[in-house]
Amino acid sequence: MKKIGLIGGTGPESTLVYYKELNTRLNKAAGGKAFPEIAIESLDLYKALGLVGEEKYDELADYILQRIKNLEKGGAEIIALTAATMHVVYDKLKPKVKKPFISIPEAVAEYAFAKGYKKVGLLGTIFTMEKDYLSKAITNAGIEVFVPTKEDRLLVHNRIANELEYGIVKEESRAELISVIKKMQNDNGIEAVILGCTELPLALNKDNCPVDCLDIMEIHIQELVDKATKTVMDNK
């Protein structure tokens, strides 16, 4: 089973989910006889989001790359970013990463295509919704991607940045997010909504979403599990 290296901290709540789920699922895949080796390099959330907000992408890429190199030096054989927003510099990082670098956008695009969706909505931070680093892979798969109105984009971003990043889930905020999804369903005919921030599943899930709910964290974690499981099977 290959050692997994995670770039975490953006935010801490989702990093905890990655760690727990990878351990649980890979232990099950190993018949309860092994746990994966996992290393985490935790970024300063405020610094990382500040660099994104100021569009200092070269500086952000350098900041993340230093941590990726730490993971590689520590023996990590698979690398992943645990936040969608940090994928704004994925293309800058990929040529410099020596180990398999598992992308959230690519994993989500493959999943949505396999499901046969034609129109999907996208929620996330303001950067995720207004930039194309997540949606590009999905549109390249022939799927239309819709985002909320400008006012609703700001609402979604604020609920993520001021509440969900800290593990705070308010029922009134959950209702607001569901209302935004319903608007996209009525106005754009979306068949599913992509939860394009790894904290959004704290508030939204298949039981309360008015359309199919695509949890990018779940999809990404399962992709990492599949890679590690394939390694286990190949070595038998």
Side-chain angles (χ1 to χ4, degrees):
M1 190 183 300
K2 289 188 176 181
K3 183 174 181 177
I4 299 171
L6 302 176
I7 299 295
T10 51
E13 294 297 324
S14 63
T15 305
L16 290 172
V17 176
Y18 269 85
Y19 182 77
K20 180 179 179 181
E21 286 298 315
L22 286 169
N23 271 285
T24 299
R25 298 184 196 192
L26 287 168
N27 174 254
K28 183 178 180 180
K33 296 181 179 180
F35 280 103
E37 294 184 7
I38 300 174
I40 300 173
E41 280 282 326
S42 191
L43 304 181
D44 178 347
L45 175 64
Y46 295 108
K47 178 176 180 177
L49 291 182
L51 293 172
V52 171
E54 296 172 14
E55 297 188 354
K56 294 182 177 179
Y57 298 134
D58 288 341
E59 190 173 340
L60 177 64
D62 288 342
Y63 179 43
I64 296 175
L65 185 60
Q66 290 173 10
R67 276 66 194 171
I68 290 175
K69 289 185 180 297
N70 289 344
L71 292 172
E72 290 176 337
K73 289 176 182 177
E77 298 167 277
I78 300 172
I79 308 290
L81 307 175
T82 64
T85 302
M86 296 303 107
H87 282 73
V88 70
V89 293
Y90 178 85
D91 289 343
K92 291 179 180 291
L93 292 169
K94 188 173 182 179
K96 302 175 183 179
V97 179
K98 299 176 182 178
K99 301 298 181 181
F101 194 22
I102 311 304
S103 159
I104 288 178
E106 291 172 5
V108 173
E110 290 174 7
Y111 183 90
F113 181 80
K115 286 289 187 178
Y117 298 123
K118 302 299 182 185
K119 296 181 178 182
V120 300
L122 172 61
L123 301 184
T125 63
I126 201 78
F127 317 104
T128 297
M129 291 184 286
E130 295 185 351
K131 304 294 183 180
D132 70 352
Y133 56 87
L134 178 55
S135 62
K136 181 170 61 176
I138 299 163
T139 56
N140 285 345
I143 302 167
E144 288 188 82
V145 179
F146 297 89
V147 296
T149 63
K150 184 175 181 179
E151 180 181 358
D152 284 344
R153 290 198 298 272
L154 186 60
L155 182 151
V156 173
H157 177 81
N158 285 337
R159 297 300 175 267
I160 292 170
N162 299 325
E163 297 174 18
L164 298 178
E165 291 283 8
Y166 302 99
I168 300 169
V169 183
K170 298 180 179 179
E171 286 304 318
E172 57 268 33
S173 297
R174 192 198 313 271
E176 289 174 328
L177 295 172
I178 292 171
S179 177
V180 170
I181 296 169
K182 287 181 177 178
K183 287 182 188 177
M184 287 192 289
Q185 183 183 25
N186 293 331
D187 296 345
N188 307 121
I190 64 169
E191 306 155 276
V193 62
I194 296 168
L195 303 185
C197 171
T198 47
E199 272 70 43
L200 278 170
L202 297 174
L204 299 169
N205 56 56
K206 62 182 178 62
D207 296 323
N208 59 32
C209 275
V211 296
D212 288 351
C213 188
L214 306 188
D215 178 346
I216 65 167
M217 181 164 54
E218 162 65 24
I219 294 169
H220 194 215
I221 288 171
Q222 191 57 48
E223 180 74 8
L224 290 169
V225 168
D226 290 345
K227 298 292 185 187
T229 301
K230 183 177 185 300
T231 302
V232 172
M233 298 302 295
D234 288 348
N235 288 338
K236 285 186 176 181

